[in-house]
Amino acid sequence: MSINRYRIKITGLVQGVGFRPFVYRLAKELSLNGWVRNTGAVVEIEVECFPETLSEFLHRIRKEKPPHAVIGHISTTILPFLGYQEFEIKPSNQENTNSNGYIIPDLAICEDCLRELFDKNNRRYRYPFINCTNCGPRYSIIKTLPYDRPNTTMSHFLMCEECRQEYDTPSDRRFHAQPNACPKCGPHLQLWDGNGNIIATREEALQTTVSLIRRGYIVAIKGLGGFHLVVDAANSASVTRLRKAKNRPHKPFAVMYPDINTIREDCYLLETEKNILLSPASPIVLLQRKKPYRYQRVCEEVSPNNPYLGVMLPYTPLHHLLLHELNSPIVATSGNRHSETICVDEKDALIKLKGIADYFLIHNRPIFTPVDDSVVAVVDNEIMILRLARGYTPLSLPLPSCISQLGQKSPHSILALGGHLKNSIALALEDKIVVSQYLGDLDSQDNRNLFQKTIEKLTGIYNFHPDTITCDLHPDYYSSYYAEELANRRVNGKPNVVRIQHHIAHIFSVIAEHNPPLPILGVAWDGTGYGLDNTIWGGEFFLISSSGIQRIASFYPFPLPGGETAIFDPIRISFSLVSLLENSRDIITRINSIKQAFSEKEISLLAKILERGINCPLTSSVGRLFDGISALLGLTDKVTFEGQAAMNLEFAIDNYSPREAYSLSWQPSQNHFGYIYWQEMLTQIISDYIQGKPPQEISAKFHLTLARIILEIAQKTQVKNVVISGGCFQNRFLLNQSLNLLRNHNLNVFFAQKIPTNDGGLAVGQIAYHLHKVSR
């Protein structure tokens, strides 16, 4: 048996994770000669050995790969023997295409670096930018692939002799760690006052910041993917001042705790939740708070009237140093003004955060791409990502089964631009879907600029020229407008623009993740989505089978008096719902929440507006149904952030366990479509309200009623696979009730986990639906 030369190509998440040094060490251990190098898309290896040694080499690559590596495909080609004399790491090949490359997310500090950070004998003792091949900045500093230092924002930091030796030594943990640095040659801290004057640098800057936080000041701190606005979480006056400055009166703030033990003092912590908090992604995790709240380490103003707390652990060396000194939780909320992009540049932050932050703790490592903190919850003992960002993005998913099961590559290169709120974009490449980080709502020019820059970055990295651009059906969404603009820019081979209905995209985002077999009952409930009949949908049921997609049920439409104004003043929705009942005028006189909100003159005016249909768009939205009932029960006055009224209705349940539900009926016609009539349910809710039954009982029964209508329609259509999606299913009580009820009746239920169930998942759903349609 002769020695052969083998060329090995490995695809997957194999750059920025220490894969080349791992291969080098393994080759040396097996006495193999040859080389390894990065290309824009793959890791290439050549080795000369006997076939059985090659088998062992490949087996150990799969088995012992670096902790953050994900191997996609390994191909091997036999070539003529050359007679290599050693094994080496070659420079990256810049010429090959990037179309199959993976980009690694930013990673929380690893245990080895954390130990060195607090080791007085280590040369990086208390250095806020310590990192290695297993942790630190990645996506936020990458400009293009391959992942080499010249292609990152670390390119202008020249390594000192000691760092260079680590970087060049294959046995070192920092071998080819691109952000490698130390106090001699790397980034450093400065503390600025509100006018940009330098107050302190390096360690003194950190210690002074600790003192300022303890004294109640608001400090803007530049981190991994952008700035945080930081205050002492126990200081009620400071948190209240931050709320006023950010114009954020009610929306909960995230809190960073020093460690797991202090979290346990304030919150219940499942093992799954603990593991997620300690994971390299280190997201914000929504945890249930312990009662009474007044004995907690955070003041009530942090998360007012909310049984959950958004909690994270320190994930950068700088965070660990700050929290080690403070030894108490801090509010760490996005460093931006309302509806704007998170600040990443210190000079920009000085302008945009003026009047909010008292001081600025900055560093001189540029952030190329803004990345917010991810937000997750645990449902059914599994992770459910609500905001896909730092630690998880860019996220790569395999193509939906409609393509991959045929053994095909994608027939189209697709750029999906998602929706308007909670926007993210996605690319359909040959063998996978790549999803961007959370980009925010596209109302502000700031966020629109980020949206455009993210498109440019990802299409540039992958050398990607789409032949199809997908967007939402809504004609007024900025993403839909920009889809047309992008298409018109192309001189040759203008891409097709495909508009996809909002709720169909919601359902297909879950199909893309889980690939359930047909037929499927798709349930999409949210606040707003443009319907195929030019009305506002939001309470939809679709039957998806081999013969196509059919809308089979929807909640009976009701008007929104004043249009979008009703979303922020949900008692208007309450009035509208009641006005559709028999004897509505008599009923209105018995509902205190409506009588307190409106004078007799206003009630008369609202009635006329509804009667004449003046600025009263129709909607079938379950989200708006939540809003109306929340306001009717007196749980919500004015809404200051999306989902607030629905959250208040969910939180009113507390620990109440419903035993009975209200009446809700589906009446399909001969063409199989039918409305779900909610009028009897509302009449029963009002009756309970007038009788003085507690809000927790009414709310719990309402949630159970909604879960039961899903079961009823699934049973009547005789479909075993149910997909549930849309913003309403961020409501954990509703989601758990639905999962338990459907599973207890032997139905298979699929919900969003890796992809947000809210509008952050629309881009993935648009791609999956388009590929499904093309494949059929």
Side-chain angles (χ1 to χ4, degrees):
M1 189 176 294
S2 62
I3 294 178
N4 292 317
R5 175 165 59 106
Y6 298 96
R7 175 167 292 177
I8 304 160
K9 293 186 177 182
I10 304 176
T11 67
L13 188 54
V14 289
Q15 295 190 19
V17 292
F19 204 88
R20 287 175 296 171
F22 156 71
V23 169
Y24 177 92
R25 290 190 290 269
L26 181 58
K28 285 291 190 182
E29 184 181 332
L30 295 175
S31 301
L32 300 177
N33 293 332
W35 51 263
V36 60
R37 72 178 176 189
N38 268 346
T39 72
V42 301
V43 165
E44 287 184 322
I45 307 167
E46 281 196 10
V47 291
E48 293 179 333
C49 60
F50 291 108
E52 60 268 24
T53 309
L54 175 71
S55 296
E56 181 184 359
F57 182 55
L58 295 178
H59 172 74
R60 291 186 63 182
I61 284 176
R62 288 190 180 277
K63 184 179 179 182
E64 301 171 17
K65 62 180 176 61
H68 302 305
V70 178
I71 293 175
H73 178 70
I74 299 179
S75 64
T76 305
T77 305
I78 300 177
L79 300 170
F81 181 79
L82 286 179
Y84 289 124
Q85 297 301 306
E86 60 179 357
F87 195 90
E88 63 175 333
I89 295 179
K90 281 190 172 185
S92 297
N93 181 357
Q94 301 281 356
E95 297 177 1
N96 284 14
T97 176
N98 293 337
S99 62
N100 288 322
Y102 286 70
I103 307 170
I104 192 167
D106 299 296
L107 300 170
I109 185 172
C110 68
E111 288 297 322
D112 290 328
C113 285
L114 189 59
R115 185 167 50 252
E116 291 173 351
L117 182 67
F118 291 103
D119 179 0
K120 293 181 180 179
N121 297 317
N122 191 280
R123 72 186 188 93
R124 292 186 176 88
Y125 173 61
R126 296 184 66 82
Y127 180 54
F129 306 98
I130 188 172
N131 67 85
C132 70
T133 55
N134 296 320
C135 67
R138 298 292 191 273
Y139 177 58
S140 61
I141 64 169
I142 290 174
K143 297 178 181 178
T144 188
L145 292 180
Y147 176 58
D148 289 322
R149 195 175 180 107
N151 294 332
T152 74
T153 61
M154 286 294 295
S155 59
H156 67 282
F157 290 99
L158 298 178
M159 283 182 277
C160 66
E161 186 177 338
E162 290 168 293
C163 285
R164 171 56 68 178
Q165 185 174 358
E166 293 169 333
Y167 186 88
D168 291 335
T169 304
S171 59
D172 196 282
R173 198 174 85 252
R174 294 185 172 89
F175 180 56
H176 282 225
Q178 306 306 336
N180 190 30
C182 74
K184 287 183 184 177
C185 63
H188 63 271
L189 296 174
Q190 289 184 344
L191 180 64
W192 295 357
D193 66 15
N195 295 315
N197 299 310
I198 299 173
I199 297 174
T201 62
R202 301 181 185 258
E203 178 66 21
E204 184 187 357
L206 190 143
Q207 293 295 343
T208 307
T209 299
V210 169
S211 174
L212 290 169
I213 293 170
R214 283 176 174 157
R215 288 155 54 196
Y217 289 101
I218 300 171
V219 184
I221 299 178
K222 185 179 179 182
L224 192 60
F227 275 83
H228 279 133
L229 288 165
V230 171
V231 294
D232 179 359
N235 189 321
S236 175
S238 296
V239 176
T240 300
R241 188 162 67 89
L242 178 59
R243 286 202 172 280
K244 289 180 179 177
K246 278 203 79 173
N247 190 24
R248 185 169 165 165
H250 304 111
K251 191 175 182 180
F253 284 137
V255 181
M256 186 178 285
Y257 275 76
D259 51 46
I260 287 291
N261 290 332
T262 51
I263 292 173
R264 280 203 173 104
E265 292 178 14
D266 289 350
C267 302
Y268 298 102
L269 191 62
L270 300 173
E271 189 68 17
T272 305
E273 293 166 334
K274 185 189 90 170
N275 292 339
I276 294 170
L277 284 165
L278 293 169
S279 72
S282 193
I284 297 168
V285 182
L286 300 183
L287 301 179
Q288 186 177 357
R289 300 166 70 182
K290 293 180 178 179
K291 292 182 178 180
Y293 301 155
R294 64 181 181 275
Y295 295 129
Q296 294 187 350
R297 290 169 171 260
V298 299
C299 63
E300 177 58 21
E301 288 77 9
V302 168
S303 188
N305 304 312
N306 193 321
Y308 295 103
L309 200 60
V311 170
M312 59 181 156
L313 287 170
Y315 56 84
T316 69
L318 176 58
H319 293 147
H320 276 279
L321 291 169
L322 286 169
L323 271 295
H324 180 77
E325 296 295 320
L326 289 165
N327 196 32
S328 62
I330 55 173
V331 166
T333 189
S334 298
N336 57 1
R337 289 190 180 273
H338 177 67
S339 79
E340 291 185 355
T341 304
I342 185 172
C343 292
V344 295
D345 177 78
E346 45 271 25
K347 292 180 181 178
D348 190 44
L350 200 63
I351 297 168
K352 291 188 174 181
L353 302 181
K354 191 173 185 64
I356 300 178
D358 302 310
Y359 295 91
F360 296 78
L361 182 65
I362 66 99
H363 59 74
N364 59 335
R365 183 179 67 202
I367 298 170
F368 188 74
T369 302
V371 188
D372 267 293
D373 294 315
S374 292
V375 180
V376 312
V378 170
V379 174
D380 199 35
N381 207 34
E382 297 282 349
I383 190 170
M384 180 181 180
I385 296 179
L386 302 175
R387 184 166 77 190
L388 186 66
R390 179 189 50 76
Y392 297 109
T393 55
L395 177 68
S396 293
L397 297 170
L399 285 175
S401 60
C402 59
I403 298 299
S404 58
Q405 285 182 1
L406 298 175
Q408 299 175 352
K409 293 182 178 180
S410 172
H412 291 282
S413 55
I414 305 168
L415 171 62
L417 300 188
H420 190 75
L421 303 178
K422 299 181 174 64
N423 182 270
S424 66
I425 66 164
L427 282 59
L429 306 176
E430 289 183 350
D431 58 349
K432 61 179 173 286
I433 297 173
V434 176
V435 192
S436 81
Q437 78 276 25
Y438 163 86
L439 302 174
D441 301 345
L442 299 184
D443 292 315
S444 72
Q445 190 58 50
D446 249 13
N447 284 357
R448 292 176 182 183
N449 291 341
L450 175 61
F451 169 74
Q452 294 176 28
K453 287 176 182 176
T454 303
I455 293 170
E456 291 168 7
K457 175 174 178 173
L458 289 179
T459 55
I461 282 176
Y462 288 105
N463 191 24
F464 182 75
H465 305 284
D467 56 34
T468 303
I469 301 175
T470 63
C471 60
D472 196 272
L473 186 65
H474 199 298
D476 296 330
Y477 281 179
Y478 178 75
S479 52
S480 301
Y481 157 79
Y482 197 68
E484 297 287 351
E485 183 178 314
L486 276 178
N488 290 329
R489 284 182 192 173
R490 186 89 66 82
V491 177
N492 298 316
K494 179 180 176 180
N496 296 317
V497 174
V498 179
R499 296 176 179 268
I500 294 171
Q501 202 281 320
H502 190 91
H503 300 96
I504 291 174
H506 268 310
I507 291 163
F508 270 84
S509 69
V510 179
I511 292 174
E513 181 178 346
H514 294 289
N515 287 315
L518 301 178
I520 294 166
L521 176 65
V523 183
W525 292 352
D526 64 3
T528 300
Y530 195 71
L532 294 170
D533 59 0
N534 301 324
T535 66
I536 302 169
W537 289 3
E540 314 309 313
F541 292 75
F542 297 89
L543 184 60
I544 305 169
S545 65
S546 57
S547 58
I549 300 173
Q550 183 181 7
R551 182 180 180 229
I552 61 169
S554 178
F555 278 72
Y556 187 79
F558 52 91
L560 294 176
E564 192 172 314
T565 302
I567 298 172
F568 301 99
D569 190 10
I571 196 67
R572 287 171 173 255
I573 302 175
S574 311
F575 187 92
S576 173
L577 292 167
V578 175
S579 70
L580 294 180
L581 302 178
E582 291 185 12
N583 303 317
S584 59
R585 291 188 179 182
D586 177 58
I587 295 172
I588 285 171
T589 63
R590 303 168 66 193
I591 299 176
N592 288 333
S593 55
I594 292 178
K595 290 194 298 181
Q596 291 169 4
F598 303 115
S599 66
E600 289 186 13
K601 185 178 179 180
E602 288 171 325
I603 287 174
S604 177
L605 180 61
L606 268 177
K608 287 179 181 178
I609 288 172
L610 287 167
E611 183 181 343
R612 296 173 184 175
I614 302 170
N615 192 20
C616 292
L618 292 175
T619 183
S620 58
S621 166
V622 173
R624 300 289 84 88
L625 196 60
F626 265 93
D627 294 348
I629 291 172
S630 178
L632 187 146
L633 297 180
L635 300 173
T636 304
D637 183 15
K638 296 292 190 289
V639 165
T640 61
F641 67 92
E642 186 193 10
Q644 182 181 359
M647 287 168 60
N648 291 344
L649 188 60
E650 176 192 359
F651 299 158
I653 296 170
D654 201 7
N655 292 318
Y656 190 91
S657 182
R659 298 179 183 178
E660 57 182 7
Y662 296 117
S663 300
L664 200 59
S665 62
W666 176 50
Q667 299 176 17
S669 60
Q670 290 184 345
N671 67 356
H672 302 295
F673 176 80
Y675 282 121
I676 299 163
Y677 292 93
W678 44 262
Q679 287 86 336
E680 187 176 356
M681 175 189 70
L682 182 61
T683 301
Q684 293 167 346
I685 287 173
I686 292 169
S687 175
D688 281 354
Y689 169 72
I690 291 172
Q691 291 177 43
K693 290 189 177 178
Q696 58 262 45
E697 179 183 343
I698 298 172
S699 179
K701 288 167 67 176
F702 169 66
H703 282 75
L704 179 58
T705 304
L706 294 178
R708 284 188 176 178
I709 197 63
I710 301 175
L711 174 63
E712 178 185 334
I713 294 176
Q715 290 176 327
K716 286 183 177 178
T717 54
Q718 298 182 330
V719 174
K720 288 289 185 182
N721 298 311
V722 182
V723 164
I724 52 180
S725 187
C728 288
F729 291 103
Q730 294 174 118
N731 179 324
R732 281 190 268 181
F733 190 84
L734 174 64
L735 181 55
N736 280 315
Q737 288 287 317
S738 302
L739 292 175
N740 294 335
L741 192 61
L742 295 169
R743 287 170 178 169
N744 288 341
H745 286 80
N746 300 314
L747 298 175
N748 305 313
V749 196
F750 304 90
F751 65 100
Q753 293 174 274
K754 293 180 182 178
I755 303 295
T757 194
N758 54 50
D759 285 6
L762 287 176
V764 172
Q766 289 169 359
I767 287 173
Y769 172 72
H770 185 68
L771 290 177
H772 169 85
K773 188 176 179 180
V774 169
S775 70
R776 310 202 78 78

